[in-house]
Amino acid sequence: MSRPVGPVFGKLDWSVTPYTDLLQTVNSSTIVGAGAASVLVLGAIAAVAVLTWKGWWGPLYRDCLTSPDAKKIGIMYIVLGLVMMARGIIEGAVMRAHQATAMGTLDQPETGLVSPDHFAQLFSTHGTIMIFFVAMPLLIGLINFVLPQQLGARDMAFPVLNQVSLGLTAAGAGLVMISLLIGKFGTGGWTMYPPYTGKVFSPGEGVDYWLWAILISGVGSTLTGMNFAVTIFKKRAPGMHFMRMPLFCWTSLCVAIMLIYAMPALTVSSSMLALDRYAGFHFFTNDAGGNMMNYANVFWMFGHPEVYILILPAFGVFSEISSTFSGKKLYGYTSLVIASMSIAVISFTVWLHHFFTMGQSAGINIAFGIATMLIGIPTGVKIYDWMATMWRGRVRMTAPIVYMTGFFLLFVIGGMSGIILANPSIDYQVHNSTFLVAHFHNVIIPGVLYGMLAGIHYWFPKAFGYRLDETWGRRTALLFVAGFVFAFLPLYVMGLMGLPRRSPTFQDPAFLPWMYAAGLGALLMLAALASLVWTFLVSWRNREALSVPGGDPWNGATLEWSSPAPVPEWTYPCIPQVTDRDDWGERKRAGDPWRAPDRYVDIEMPADTPHGLLIAAAAFALGFAMVWYIWWLAIAAFLAIPALLIWRGMRVIEPRIVSAADVEDEDRRFREFVARTAPITRAEESTPRNRGVPDCTEFAG
C-alpha cells in the first residue's frame, strides 16, 4: 500500500510497526511479528544497559570501533555474522514450524503459524541474511584475522579502508534488522526478481530495504576484495613466495579476485532495479521496452561465483585443520592450489544453470550444463586430497574434525545433487521444488557454516588467549550435523513428490511425515545454536584453565602459531624471514623455534580513527532515508560520506609508534614463559596441561 510522503518523516508514521498489526488483528502471525520486534527492542535495551553498567562504552569505542587493526576488525565481522546467524536460524525454525502446521483443504487452503505474506517475508529475510550477513561476514572476518598472520604481515594493506568496509556491511545488516520493527521486508526471496519486485507489484518499503542493504554492503564487499588482493600481492613476508603460502591464503586470494569481479554485477543489477522503482526507468518491465531477463543474467553473474566466494574460504580452513589434526603434511598442495584457481575461474561460466527453465535454447542450456558438471572435477580433487592427508595420520577427533567429517558426508551428497541438476532435462522437473532448496542448503551449510565454525574453533585461541571447551564444541558440531540431516534431507523427498518451494501451504497429507521430520531438524538446529552460545559461555568461565599463552595449542605448522595468544597488536616483533612452506613447522624440525630476534626496532601502527564508524552511520542513514523517502536526510547523509573522505584526506595523520623497548619487553616475557613451560603431547591437547607450548619432537607435519 502506497503512503503519502511528508516533508519531515517521508512515509513514516505510527502504523508501520508490527504492533499496529497486532492491535488490529490478533492471530499467531501478528503475535510472531510483534514478538520478533520485541526481541529486537529488548535486545538493544539489554545491550545498552550492560555496556553502561559495566562502563564498557569507552573501551568499546577506543579498542574496537575506531581500531583499524585487521584482527579486531575480523573479530567484529565474526560477531556480526554470529548475531545475524541467530536470527537466520530462528527464522528457519519458524518456517519449518509453519509448514508442519500448514496442511490446508480445498475449503480452507491457507493455514499454519504465520500468514502467507509473513511466510514470504521470512524466506526472503532468511535467504538474504544467511547469504549476505552471515556467510559473508564470517568468511571476511576469518580472512581478516588469519590472512595477515599467515602471510607474516602486521596488517592489511589499507587498514582504514578495511574499517570502512566493515562499517558498510554493518550498515546493510542494520537495515535488515530494523525492518523487523519499522515496516516490512520484501517478499521476493533473496534474489528479488522483477517484475514482481517492481513498483507495480511491490509498492511498499520491503524491496527498498533489500535494495539499500545490498547496495551498501555490496560496496563494502568490493572494497574488501581489493584490500585482500593488494595485501596478498604486496604484504607478504620476505621469502613468502606464492607457492609457500598456506592454502588458506590461496583460497583467500581466489575470494579476493572473485569479489572484485562478481560484486559489481550485483551492484549494477540492484542499481538498475532501484532506478526502476525510484525514477520510473523500465530496465526490467517488458511492456515498456525493458527485459527482465537482463536482471536474471546480471544477478547470476554475481550469484554463482558468490557460492564459491562463500565456500572457498571453508576449503582453506579444511586444508589447514586436516593437516594439523592429522599430524601430517597437506597432501597434494599444488593440486589443491590448481583446483582452487580452477573453481574460481569456472564459477564465472555456469550462471545460466540457475534459470534453465526461462527460455534459452537447448544448445545454450547444454553448454552451461557441461560447464556446471566440469566444476565438480576440481572440487572432487580437493575432497580426495583432504582424505589422503588424513589417511594413516594420527587424527585427533577435535571439534573442527567433527565438522570436517560432517562436511565430507553431507557436502558430497550436495555436490552429487548439483551434478544431477546440471542436466537441463532433470532440472526442468525439479527446478521449482523443495529438491532445489535441499540441494542449496546441502552445499552451503556443510560447505560454509561447518567450515566457518571449524575455523572459529581452530583460531579462537589466537584471538582471545584460551581454547574453546572441547566437549561442548563437539556436542555443538554433532547437533549441527544431526540438525541438517533431519531438516533438509526430507526436502529432497518432498521435492521429488512435487512440493513447490516457497509454498506457504499444501493439501497432500503424504507430505506430513516429512514435514514433521524437517520440523525436528529445525529444533535440533536451534539446540545447536543454543549449544554454540553455551560453548562460548563455558569457555569464557573456564578461561584460566583453557588459557594457552604459548600460542601454539595444536602444534601447528604455519606462521600464526609462532606468536603469543592472544596475538599482540603488532603480531610479530620483527617481520619473519620465510625459508620454506609451513615455515613454523620447519623451524620446529630445525630445533629452537622460539629463538628471539637479534634486535628490536620501533614499529609503526596505523592510528585509530572514527572514520569507518562515521561512514557506517551515514550509510545507514542514507539507506533508511531512501527506504522511507525522507529526502532531506538522504541528501544530508549522501553529502556526509564524501565530506568525511575529504576531511580525512585533508588531515595529516601520523602513525602510532610502538617503541622497540616495549616490543622487546613483551616479546621477552613471552619467550621466557615458553622456556619455563613443560611441552605437552598431542594426547594432552584437550587437558588443562595445554598451555600452548607443544612437544616439538612430536612434530612430523
Side-chain angles (χ1 to χ4, degrees), residues 106-401:
L106 292 177
D107 295 331
Q108 189 180 5
E110 294 173 358
T111 59
L113 184 63
V114 296
S115 68
D117 186 71
H118 195 167
F119 182 75
Q121 285 185 61
L122 284 171
F123 67 65
S124 301
T125 51
H126 174 78
T128 302
I129 286 172
M130 295 305 282
I131 295 293
F132 296 106
F133 300 110
V134 175
M136 291 287 276
L138 287 181
L139 72 92
I140 290 174
L142 208 58
I143 293 174
N144 257 295
F145 184 80
V146 176
L147 180 68
Q149 295 186 62
Q150 288 199 331
L151 291 176
R154 298 200 193 285
D155 209 325
M156 287 290 170
F158 307 115
V160 179
L161 185 67
N162 204 17
Q163 193 191 57
V164 171
S165 301
L166 168 63
L168 295 178
T169 303
L175 287 173
V176 178
M177 288 300 269
I178 202 72
S179 70
L180 264 181
L181 179 64
I182 303 175
K184 295 179 178 177
F185 202 74
T187 55
W190 76 278
T191 55
M192 293 285 167
Y193 270 0
Y196 174 70
T197 53
K199 206 67 176 174
V200 173
F201 300 106
S202 300
E205 69 282 358
V207 177
D208 298 327
Y209 266 127
W210 183 88
L211 276 173
W212 289 102
I214 296 305
L215 279 169
I216 292 170
S217 63
V219 172
S221 298
T222 306
L223 297 176
T224 294
M226 295 176 183
N227 210 349
F228 287 168
V230 176
T231 301
I232 294 171
F233 290 135
K234 294 293 185 181
K235 301 282 283 185
R236 301 192 310 279
M240 176 71 82
H241 59 61
F242 282 110
M243 294 309 284
R244 285 178 180 168
M245 291 199 307
L247 242 298
F248 186 79
C249 297
W250 269 107
T251 55
S252 300
L253 177 59
C254 295
V255 167
I257 295 170
M258 294 167 78
L259 283 171
I260 294 168
Y261 284 99
M263 294 307 295
L266 177 66
T267 303
V268 167
S269 63
S270 303
S271 300
M272 293 167 77
L273 182 56
L275 287 170
D276 271 13
R277 290 179 60 82
Y278 282 89
F281 283 44
H282 294 285
F283 286 119
F284 307 127
T285 46
N286 288 2
D287 59 352
N291 187 341
M292 71 76 58
M293 285 307 299
N294 288 336
Y295 184 90
N297 275 287
V298 178
F299 180 88
W300 285 111
M301 284 179 193
F302 144 80
H304 200 81
E306 168 71 2
V307 174
Y308 292 95
I309 288 171
L310 302 182
I311 287 178
L312 279 171
F315 287 179
V317 172
F318 290 134
S319 298
E320 301 295 327
I321 65 175
S322 62
S323 170
T324 298
F325 290 115
S326 302
K328 288 179 62 182
K329 269 187 177 298
L330 184 63
Y331 180 85
Y333 173 90
T334 304
S335 64
L336 282 166
V337 170
I338 295 171
S340 299
M341 296 303 287
S342 301
I343 289 171
V345 173
I346 299 173
S347 72
F348 282 93
T349 67
V350 299
W351 79 86
L352 193 136
H353 72 214
H354 291 276
F355 45 96
F356 276 147
T357 59
M358 292 173 71
Q360 296 74 227
S361 69
I364 289 178
N365 280 356
I366 289 170
F368 278 86
I370 292 170
T372 303
M373 292 180 188
L374 286 177
I375 208 166
I377 296 173
T379 308
V381 168
K382 283 173 167 283
I383 299 285
Y384 282 115
D385 276 343
W386 295 322
M387 292 171 65
T389 301
M390 299 174 76
W391 175 250
R392 293 185 174 175
R394 291 158 294 173
V395 180
R396 289 99 80 194
M397 287 305 292
T398 57
I401 290 294

Side-chain angles (χ1 to χ4, degrees), residues 554-642:
W554 318 124
N555 207 351
T558 43
L559 280 179
E560 75 271 24
W561 303 110
S562 65
S563 61
V567 190
E569 182 185 10
W570 30 267
T571 309
Y572 300 108
C574 65
I575 296 298
Q577 176 70 45
V578 177
T579 58
D580 211 326
R581 188 186 303 161
D582 296 337
D583 193 71
W584 178 238
E586 293 304 320
R587 279 193 259 167
K588 288 178 181 176
R589 286 197 188 88
D592 194 19
W594 285 282
R595 189 161 54 87
D598 296 331
R599 69 187 187 94
Y600 295 86
V601 297
D602 291 349
I603 295 175
E604 283 189 6
M605 298 300 299
D608 293 349
T609 173
H611 275 80
L613 183 62
L614 295 174
I615 289 176
F620 176 83
L622 172 63
F624 187 78
M626 290 300 295
V627 169
W628 292 103
Y629 290 66
I630 308 173
W631 301 123
W632 64 268
L633 180 59
I635 294 170
F638 179 75
L639 294 177
I641 295 173

Side-chain angles (χ1 to χ4, degrees), residues 43-61:
I45 292 173
V48 170
V50 168
L51 289 170
T52 305
W53 179 48
K54 292 285 189 180
W56 287 346
W57 283 107
L60 177 67
Y61 178 79

